[in-house]
Amino acid sequence: MRGSVYYHSAELTKVIFQEGLKKEDRSNPNSEYYQMVSSYKTMESYRSVWNNFFNYLREHWQLKRYELISVDHVIAYMDYKIGYYPSHLYLAKINSAMGKLEVALNRYSAINDEFPQQYDFSKRLEVFNSAKDLELVAKSYHNRAYQDPMKIIQNLAYQEYQLAAQIQLEGGARLEGVCLIREEQLKGFRHDSITNKTVGVIETKEKGGKVGDILVSLNTYDLLTRYLSYTKIFKISKSNYMNDIRQTAKDLSLTANGSHGFRWNFAQRRLFEYAQAGYTYEQSLLLVSSEMKHNRASITEHYLGA
Protein backbone atom coordinates (compact mmCIF):
# COMPACT_ATOMS: atom_id res chain seq x y z
CA MET A 1 0.00 0.00 0.00
CA ARG A 2 1.48 3.32 -1.06
CA GLY A 3 0.35 6.88 -0.52
CA SER A 4 0.10 9.44 2.25
CA VAL A 5 -0.34 8.67 5.93
CA TYR A 6 -3.95 9.81 5.74
CA TYR A 7 -4.66 7.65 2.69
CA HIS A 8 -3.39 4.59 4.54
CA SER A 9 -5.46 5.24 7.64
CA ALA A 10 -8.53 5.94 5.48
CA GLU A 11 -8.12 2.63 3.62
CA LEU A 12 -7.78 0.71 6.86
CA THR A 13 -10.78 2.53 8.32
CA LYS A 14 -12.93 1.26 5.46
CA VAL A 15 -12.40 -2.38 6.44
CA ILE A 16 -13.03 -1.98 10.17
CA PHE A 17 -15.73 0.70 10.46
CA GLN A 18 -19.45 0.30 9.89
CA GLU A 19 -22.01 2.50 11.54
CA GLY A 20 -24.87 0.97 13.49
CA LEU A 21 -23.46 -2.47 14.17
CA LYS A 22 -24.93 -4.32 17.12
CA LYS A 23 -22.72 -5.01 20.11
CA GLU A 24 -23.48 -8.74 19.97
CA ASP A 25 -22.22 -8.90 16.38
CA ARG A 26 -19.02 -7.02 17.22
CA SER A 27 -18.30 -9.31 20.18
CA ASN A 28 -19.22 -12.61 18.52
CA PRO A 29 -16.12 -14.42 17.10
CA ASN A 30 -18.36 -16.14 14.55
CA SER A 31 -19.76 -12.89 13.19
CA GLU A 32 -18.36 -11.25 10.06
CA TYR A 33 -18.40 -8.00 12.02
CA TYR A 34 -16.29 -9.33 14.90
CA GLN A 35 -14.07 -6.62 16.50
CA MET A 36 -15.25 -3.92 14.08
CA VAL A 37 -15.99 -0.32 15.12
CA SER A 38 -19.43 1.28 14.86
CA SER A 39 -18.92 4.69 16.51
CA TYR A 40 -17.70 7.67 14.47
CA LYS A 41 -16.14 9.26 17.54
CA THR A 42 -14.27 6.08 18.49
CA MET A 43 -13.07 5.54 14.93
CA GLU A 44 -11.87 9.13 14.72
CA SER A 45 -9.91 8.63 17.95
CA TYR A 46 -8.28 5.43 16.66
CA ARG A 47 -7.46 6.96 13.30
CA SER A 48 -5.78 9.93 14.99
CA VAL A 49 -3.45 7.52 16.80
CA TRP A 50 -2.82 5.59 13.57
CA ASN A 51 -1.83 8.77 11.75
CA ASN A 52 0.58 9.66 14.53
CA PHE A 53 2.00 6.12 14.50
CA PHE A 54 2.45 6.15 10.71
CA ASN A 55 4.25 9.50 10.87
CA TYR A 56 6.49 8.05 13.59
CA LEU A 57 7.32 5.08 11.33
CA ARG A 58 8.27 7.38 8.48
CA GLU A 59 10.43 9.59 10.65
CA HIS A 60 12.16 7.01 12.84
CA TRP A 61 12.07 3.83 10.74
CA GLN A 62 11.82 5.25 7.20
CA LEU A 63 8.90 2.83 6.77
CA LYS A 64 6.29 3.82 4.19
CA ARG A 65 4.87 0.39 3.29
CA TYR A 66 2.52 -0.34 6.14
CA GLU A 67 2.01 -3.97 5.23
CA LEU A 68 5.51 -4.36 6.74
CA ILE A 69 4.45 -3.19 10.20
CA SER A 70 5.53 -5.62 12.89
CA VAL A 71 4.97 -5.97 16.61
CA ASP A 72 8.48 -4.54 17.13
CA HIS A 73 7.33 -1.28 15.52
CA VAL A 74 4.30 -1.16 17.80
CA ILE A 75 6.35 -1.78 20.95
CA ALA A 76 8.96 0.81 19.92
CA TYR A 77 6.20 3.38 19.36
CA MET A 78 4.64 2.73 22.75
CA ASP A 79 8.04 2.96 24.44
CA TYR A 80 8.58 6.24 22.60
CA LYS A 81 5.30 7.61 23.92
CA ILE A 82 6.01 6.35 27.45
CA GLY A 83 9.14 8.48 27.36
CA TYR A 84 6.89 11.54 27.54
CA TYR A 85 5.28 10.32 30.78
CA PRO A 86 1.75 10.13 29.32
CA SER A 87 -1.42 9.88 31.34
CA HIS A 88 -2.78 6.41 31.98
CA LEU A 89 -5.82 7.24 29.84
CA TYR A 90 -3.72 8.39 26.90
CA LEU A 91 -1.52 5.28 26.92
CA ALA A 92 -4.68 3.14 27.22
CA LYS A 93 -6.01 4.91 24.12
CA ILE A 94 -2.82 4.10 22.21
CA ASN A 95 -2.92 0.50 23.39
CA SER A 96 -6.52 0.12 22.24
CA ALA A 97 -5.82 1.81 18.90
CA MET A 98 -2.92 -0.55 18.23
CA GLY A 99 -5.23 -3.47 18.92
CA LYS A 100 -7.72 -2.17 16.36
CA LEU A 101 -4.88 -1.56 13.91
CA GLU A 102 -4.04 -5.26 14.20
CA VAL A 103 -7.65 -6.13 13.40
CA ALA A 104 -7.75 -3.71 10.46
CA LEU A 105 -4.48 -5.01 8.98
CA ASN A 106 -5.67 -8.61 9.24
CA ARG A 107 -9.00 -7.76 7.60
CA TYR A 108 -7.21 -5.85 4.86
CA SER A 109 -4.79 -8.75 4.41
CA ALA A 110 -7.70 -11.12 3.81
CA ILE A 111 -8.80 -9.17 0.73
CA ASN A 112 -5.47 -7.88 -0.64
CA ASP A 113 -2.62 -10.00 -1.96
CA GLU A 114 -0.03 -7.35 -1.06
CA PHE A 115 -0.83 -7.97 2.62
CA PRO A 116 -0.16 -11.72 2.79
CA GLN A 117 0.75 -12.03 6.44
CA GLN A 118 -1.14 -12.24 9.70
CA TYR A 119 -0.53 -9.57 12.32
CA ASP A 120 -0.24 -10.11 16.07
CA PHE A 121 0.38 -7.10 18.31
CA SER A 122 -0.62 -8.80 21.56
CA LYS A 123 2.77 -8.09 23.16
CA ARG A 124 1.69 -4.46 23.38
CA LEU A 125 -0.28 -5.49 26.47
CA GLU A 126 2.95 -6.39 28.26
CA VAL A 127 4.33 -2.92 27.53
CA PHE A 128 1.13 -1.27 28.73
CA ASN A 129 0.93 -3.28 31.95
CA SER A 130 4.64 -2.84 32.65
CA ALA A 131 4.33 0.93 32.26
CA LYS A 132 1.55 0.94 34.84
CA ASP A 133 3.40 -1.34 37.26
CA LEU A 134 6.60 0.72 37.06
CA GLU A 135 4.64 3.98 37.45
CA LEU A 136 5.79 5.29 34.07
CA VAL A 137 2.37 6.83 33.43
CA ALA A 138 0.49 9.56 35.24
CA LYS A 139 -2.65 8.46 37.04
CA SER A 140 -4.58 11.39 35.68
CA TYR A 141 -4.23 14.55 33.65
CA HIS A 142 -2.59 17.28 35.71
CA ASN A 143 -0.23 20.20 35.55
CA ARG A 144 3.12 18.53 34.93
CA ALA A 145 5.39 21.49 35.42
CA TYR A 146 7.89 20.89 38.21
CA GLN A 147 7.58 23.10 41.29
CA ASP A 148 11.37 23.12 41.64
CA PRO A 149 12.90 21.90 38.35
CA MET A 150 16.42 23.03 39.22
CA LYS A 151 16.41 20.91 42.37
CA ILE A 152 15.78 17.83 40.24
CA ILE A 153 18.30 18.82 37.56
CA GLN A 154 21.07 19.47 40.06
CA ASN A 155 20.57 16.06 41.64
CA LEU A 156 20.59 13.97 38.46
CA ALA A 157 23.27 11.30 38.46
CA TYR A 158 25.28 12.40 35.43
CA GLN A 159 26.38 15.76 34.07
CA GLU A 160 25.11 14.75 30.63
CA TYR A 161 21.61 14.25 32.03
CA GLN A 162 21.81 17.58 33.87
CA LEU A 163 22.75 19.30 30.61
CA ALA A 164 19.96 17.61 28.65
CA ALA A 165 17.41 18.60 31.29
CA GLN A 166 18.72 22.17 31.35
CA ILE A 167 18.28 22.40 27.56
CA GLN A 168 14.71 21.13 27.86
CA LEU A 169 13.94 23.57 30.66
CA GLU A 170 15.41 26.62 28.93
CA GLY A 171 14.58 25.82 25.30
CA GLY A 172 11.43 23.70 25.51
CA ALA A 173 12.94 20.83 23.50
CA ARG A 174 11.26 17.44 23.37
CA LEU A 175 13.03 14.31 24.57
CA GLU A 176 14.30 13.34 21.10
CA GLY A 177 15.68 16.86 20.67
CA VAL A 178 18.20 16.46 23.51
CA CYS A 179 19.19 12.80 23.33
CA LEU A 180 21.31 13.32 20.22
CA ILE A 181 22.93 16.65 19.37
CA ARG A 182 25.70 17.06 16.80
CA GLU A 183 28.27 19.83 16.60
CA GLU A 184 26.72 21.27 13.43
CA GLN A 185 23.48 21.91 15.29
CA LEU A 186 25.12 24.74 17.23
CA LYS A 187 24.03 27.92 15.46
CA GLY A 188 25.82 30.59 17.48
CA PHE A 189 24.23 33.49 19.30
CA ARG A 190 21.13 35.62 18.89
CA HIS A 191 19.51 38.58 20.58
CA ASP A 192 16.23 37.50 22.13
CA SER A 193 14.00 40.54 21.75
CA ILE A 194 11.49 39.09 24.23
CA THR A 195 13.87 39.00 27.20
CA ASN A 196 16.39 41.49 25.75
CA LYS A 197 19.20 38.99 26.35
CA THR A 198 21.81 37.31 24.21
CA VAL A 199 21.11 33.57 23.95
CA GLY A 200 22.63 30.49 22.39
CA VAL A 201 20.84 28.83 19.45
CA ILE A 202 20.57 25.06 18.95
CA GLU A 203 18.83 23.59 15.92
CA THR A 204 16.78 20.48 16.72
CA LYS A 205 14.72 18.01 14.72
CA GLU A 206 11.81 16.71 16.72
CA LYS A 207 8.30 15.24 16.47
CA GLY A 208 7.14 14.72 12.88
CA GLY A 209 10.55 15.72 11.55
CA LYS A 210 10.03 19.39 12.40
CA VAL A 211 13.26 21.36 12.39
CA GLY A 212 13.64 24.59 14.34
CA ASP A 213 15.74 26.56 16.78
CA ILE A 214 15.63 26.48 20.55
CA LEU A 215 17.12 29.24 22.67
CA VAL A 216 19.21 28.54 25.78
CA SER A 217 21.26 30.57 28.22
CA LEU A 218 24.86 31.41 27.38
CA ASN A 219 26.07 29.21 30.23
CA THR A 220 24.16 26.16 28.94
CA TYR A 221 25.30 26.84 25.38
CA ASP A 222 28.91 27.09 26.57
CA LEU A 223 28.66 23.78 28.45
CA LEU A 224 27.28 22.04 25.35
CA THR A 225 29.90 23.67 23.10
CA ARG A 226 32.75 22.51 25.34
CA TYR A 227 31.30 19.01 25.52
CA LEU A 228 31.00 18.79 21.73
CA SER A 229 34.52 20.15 21.20
CA TYR A 230 35.77 16.86 22.65
CA THR A 231 33.15 14.34 21.53
CA LYS A 232 31.55 15.91 18.40
CA ILE A 233 28.30 14.18 19.41
CA PHE A 234 26.21 14.62 22.54
CA LYS A 235 24.31 11.37 23.00
CA ILE A 236 22.46 9.91 25.98
CA SER A 237 20.21 6.91 26.57
CA LYS A 238 16.54 7.94 26.59
CA SER A 239 15.50 5.20 28.98
CA ASN A 240 18.37 5.76 31.43
CA TYR A 241 17.77 9.51 31.36
CA MET A 242 14.07 9.03 32.05
CA ASN A 243 14.75 6.54 34.84
CA ASP A 244 17.19 8.94 36.50
CA ILE A 245 14.63 11.76 36.44
CA ARG A 246 11.98 9.50 37.92
CA GLN A 247 14.26 8.13 40.66
CA THR A 248 15.65 11.57 41.51
CA ALA A 249 12.16 13.02 41.89
CA LYS A 250 11.19 10.09 44.10
CA ASP A 251 14.30 10.52 46.28
CA LEU A 252 13.46 14.21 46.69
CA SER A 253 9.80 13.44 47.50
CA LEU A 254 8.68 15.33 44.39
CA THR A 255 6.12 14.30 41.80
CA ALA A 256 7.83 12.64 38.83
CA ASN A 257 6.61 14.16 35.58
CA GLY A 258 9.26 12.78 33.26
CA SER A 259 11.48 14.90 31.05
CA HIS A 260 8.36 16.44 29.52
CA GLY A 261 7.77 18.24 32.81
CA PHE A 262 10.69 20.56 31.96
CA ARG A 263 8.92 21.42 28.71
CA TRP A 264 5.85 22.41 30.74
CA ASN A 265 8.02 24.70 32.84
CA PHE A 266 9.40 26.27 29.67
CA ALA A 267 5.93 26.92 28.22
CA GLN A 268 4.66 28.60 31.36
CA ARG A 269 7.78 30.75 31.78
CA ARG A 270 7.95 31.71 28.11
CA LEU A 271 4.28 32.71 28.00
CA PHE A 272 4.91 35.03 30.94
CA GLU A 273 7.94 36.52 29.17
CA TYR A 274 5.88 37.32 26.09
CA ALA A 275 3.22 38.92 28.27
CA GLN A 276 5.89 41.02 30.02
CA ALA A 277 7.12 42.14 26.59
CA GLY A 278 3.68 43.54 25.78
CA TYR A 279 2.18 40.79 23.65
CA THR A 280 -1.50 39.93 23.97
CA TYR A 281 -2.55 36.58 25.39
CA GLU A 282 -3.53 35.29 21.94
CA GLN A 283 -0.25 36.46 20.38
CA SER A 284 1.73 34.87 23.21
CA LEU A 285 -0.05 31.54 22.76
CA LEU A 286 0.72 31.51 19.05
CA LEU A 287 4.38 32.46 19.42
CA VAL A 288 5.09 30.01 22.25
CA SER A 289 3.32 27.29 20.26
CA SER A 290 5.61 28.01 17.32
CA GLU A 291 8.72 27.87 19.50
CA MET A 292 7.57 24.47 20.80
CA LYS A 293 7.10 23.21 17.21
CA HIS A 294 3.32 22.98 17.43
CA ASN A 295 0.93 23.98 14.65
CA ARG A 296 -1.91 25.41 16.76
CA ALA A 297 -1.85 28.29 19.23
CA SER A 298 -4.45 26.59 21.41
CA ILE A 299 -2.10 23.70 22.19
CA THR A 300 -0.07 26.04 24.43
CA GLU A 301 -3.04 26.23 26.80
CA HIS A 302 -2.49 22.51 27.41
CA TYR A 303 0.67 23.49 29.30
CA LEU A 304 -0.97 26.06 31.52
CA GLY A 305 -2.15 23.52 34.05
CA ALA A 306 -5.77 22.67 33.30
Side-chain angles (χ1 to χ4, degrees), residues 160-268:
E160 290 87 348
Y161 296 169
Q162 294 176 7
L163 181 54
Q166 195 70 33
I167 293 171
Q168 287 195 276
L169 177 67
E170 295 177 359
R174 290 184 175 87
L175 178 62
E176 64 267 28
V178 297
C179 286
L180 177 62
I181 301 175
R182 301 180 187 278
E183 193 173 28
E184 57 266 27
Q185 291 175 241
L186 298 178
K187 298 300 180 181
F189 305 102
R190 177 188 303 174
H191 176 73
D192 180 13
S193 60
I194 307 305
T195 60
N196 200 30
K197 295 179 180 179
T198 300
V199 294
V201 183
I202 306 170
E203 182 182 81
T204 63
K205 184 176 182 180
E206 301 178 17
K207 184 179 180 182
K210 293 179 182 177
V211 177
D213 296 336
I214 61 170
L215 310 180
V216 298
S217 68
L218 295 181
N219 181 63
T220 298
Y221 190 84
D222 180 61
L223 288 174
L224 180 60
T225 300
R226 282 190 281 145
Y227 187 96
L228 289 172
S229 68
Y230 291 102
T231 65
K232 306 302 180 184
I233 295 177
F234 176 83
K235 185 176 182 180
I236 60 174
S237 164
K238 289 182 181 180
S239 59
N240 290 343
Y241 174 50
M242 290 296 298
N243 288 337
D244 191 21
I245 293 173
R246 182 168 62 89
Q247 187 59 50
T248 299
K250 184 177 180 180
D251 292 343
L252 296 172
S253 299
L254 298 172
T255 301
N257 291 322
S259 72
H260 213 54
F262 301 126
R263 187 167 155 88
W264 280 62
N265 285 103
F266 164 82
Q268 295 178 13

Side-chain angles (χ1 to χ4, degrees), residues 21-40:
L21 292 176
K22 295 180 179 179
K23 183 177 180 180
E24 51 264 34
D25 289 330
R26 291 184 285 113
S27 58
N28 182 1
N30 297 318
S31 169
E32 63 177 308
Y33 305 115
Y34 180 54
Q35 295 183 317
M36 288 183 66
V37 180
S38 61
S39 163
Y40 277 109

